[in-house]
Amino acid sequence: VSTVCAQAKIFGKDCSIIGNNGPIDPNGATKAAQFIQLSDQVKKPIIFLNNTTGYLVGKKYEHQGMIKHGSKMIQAVTNARVAKITFYIGASFGAGNYGMCGRAYDPRFLLMWPNSRISVMGGPQAGDLLATVKQDQRIREGKDGMSQEEWDEFQAPILEKYETEGSPYYSTARLWDDGIIDPRDTRDV
């Protein structure tokens, strides 16, 4: 289970908390969507603790309704009228960023821990994807596939770009969030 939903009190204030640690699967998306809707109905603010690599992809998860359930979660976040506060405490990649109330979904505050990362996908995943595309292109052209050295050399600038631009400092400098906080201060903030 990578998606957790909880009711809590922070300094005596009732709130709802949604946290995750890894990819969001169809069951997690369904659970989170219903939890967001129920929290909205009882007017409890929602705190999102975001550490997700995104929604699970692949034939197996598509057959389980990942697109439908992920859409329900994003719809619930979009329509929630209560205050939403988002903390990036780890990764915030892909569409999981939307489902966990990223900047586009207008949280009251969006704060990042210094170790957090934000991007369309993780650097290694992007590097592998683009290197695979390049490899396939070379093979279609009748050339040999890339050696491990060529593969690594091709990936190096991609990994460097993702490392730089996925940084919370890069994000904060562009006002994509409301600042970086010390993890120890999360409850007070």
Side-chain angles (χ1 to χ4, degrees):
V1 177
S2 62
T3 304
V4 177
C5 302
Q7 300 290 333
K9 285 184 185 276
I10 298 179
F11 297 118
K13 174 74 174 163
D14 285 330
C15 63
S16 296
I17 299 173
I18 299 175
N20 55 20
N21 189 26
I24 302 170
D25 64 10
N27 291 334
T30 300
K31 175 172 57 172
Q34 183 179 22
F35 185 73
I36 291 165
Q37 291 169 336
L38 292 172
S39 297
D40 189 54
Q41 287 175 358
V42 297
K43 298 183 176 25
K44 283 189 182 179
I46 305 169
I47 298 170
F48 293 85
L49 301 175
N50 195 339
N51 183 21
T52 184
T53 54
Y55 290 105
L56 281 172
V57 296
K59 187 183 286 188
K60 174 184 173 186
Y61 299 105
E62 288 174 17
H63 287 296
Q64 291 177 5
M66 185 70 257
I67 295 169
K68 175 178 75 170
H69 299 303
S71 296
K72 288 190 299 190
M73 183 177 174
I74 291 172
Q75 177 83 16
V77 172
T78 302
N79 292 321
R81 296 161 295 186
V82 296
K84 298 173 283 200
I85 300 171
T86 302
F87 292 95
Y88 291 165
I89 62 173
S92 182
F93 298 155
N97 177 279
Y98 302 134
M100 289 298 291
C101 198
R103 176 53 79 202
Y105 291 83
D106 204 24
R108 296 269 175 95
F109 296 101
L110 190 157
L111 299 156
M112 301 181 85
W113 284 5
N115 64 301
S116 63
R117 312 298 300 163
I118 180 172
S119 59
V120 174
M121 64 175 65
Q125 292 82 5
D128 281 343
L129 176 67
L130 293 173
T132 300
V133 169
K134 182 68 171 175
Q135 174 102 311
D136 292 348
Q137 177 188 11
R138 287 177 64 157
I139 292 170
R140 275 194 314 274
E141 293 171 353
K143 299 176 183 173
D144 290 336
M146 290 190 284
S147 68
Q148 186 62 46
E149 185 177 302
E150 290 172 317
W151 184 278
D152 294 341
E153 187 177 309
F154 180 83
Q155 281 191 329
I158 297 164
L159 295 173
E160 183 178 331
K161 182 177 177 79
Y162 270 79
E163 182 64 27
T164 300
E165 294 182 11
S167 161
Y169 300 101
Y170 190 92
S171 173
T172 293
R174 282 146 187 83
L175 303 177
W176 295 345
D177 57 65
D178 297 311
I180 299 170
I181 63 167
D182 186 320
R184 296 171 293 192
D185 297 333
T186 303
R187 182 185 302 252
D188 291 333
V189 170

